[in-house]
Amino acid sequence: MTGAVFLVIVLIGMYYMEFIITNALELDYAGMAKYVLVLYILLLSLFSFVTVSVSSIRYEVSKNRVKEYYSTLQDLLAYYEEEEEGVREESALW
C-alpha cells in the first residue's frame, strides 16, 4: 500500500505542477504533509481492520473444517481397525 500511496501523491503533484511552481513560496508544506500523513494513517488503519476481520472469519471457518476433517478421519481409522480385526478373526478361523 505504501508504494501505491507514494505513486498517487506523485501523480497528484504532477497534475498540479503548474500551481505548485507558481505558488511555491506561499504554499503551506507542513499543513499538506500533515493532511497526507493523517489520510495515510486513516487509510492504513481502515485496510488493516478489514484485513484482520476477513482473516479472522476465514480462520474460524477453516478451523471448523479441520475439526470436521479430523472427526471424519477418526471415524475412518476406527472403521479400518474394525475391518482389520474382522480380517484377522476370519484368518484365525482357517
Side-chain angles (χ1 to χ4, degrees), residues 1 5 33-45:
M1 179 176 152
V5 171
K34 286 179 186 175
Y35 175 76
V36 169
L37 185 62
V38 167
L39 184 64
Y40 176 73
I41 290 172
L42 287 174
L43 286 175
L44 187 62
S45 300

Side-chain angles (χ1 to χ4, degrees), residues 17-31:
M17 188 60 71
E18 182 182 352
F19 177 79
I20 292 171
I21 290 173
T22 56
N23 298 316
L25 298 175
E26 291 93 28
L27 289 177
D28 180 25
Y29 292 109

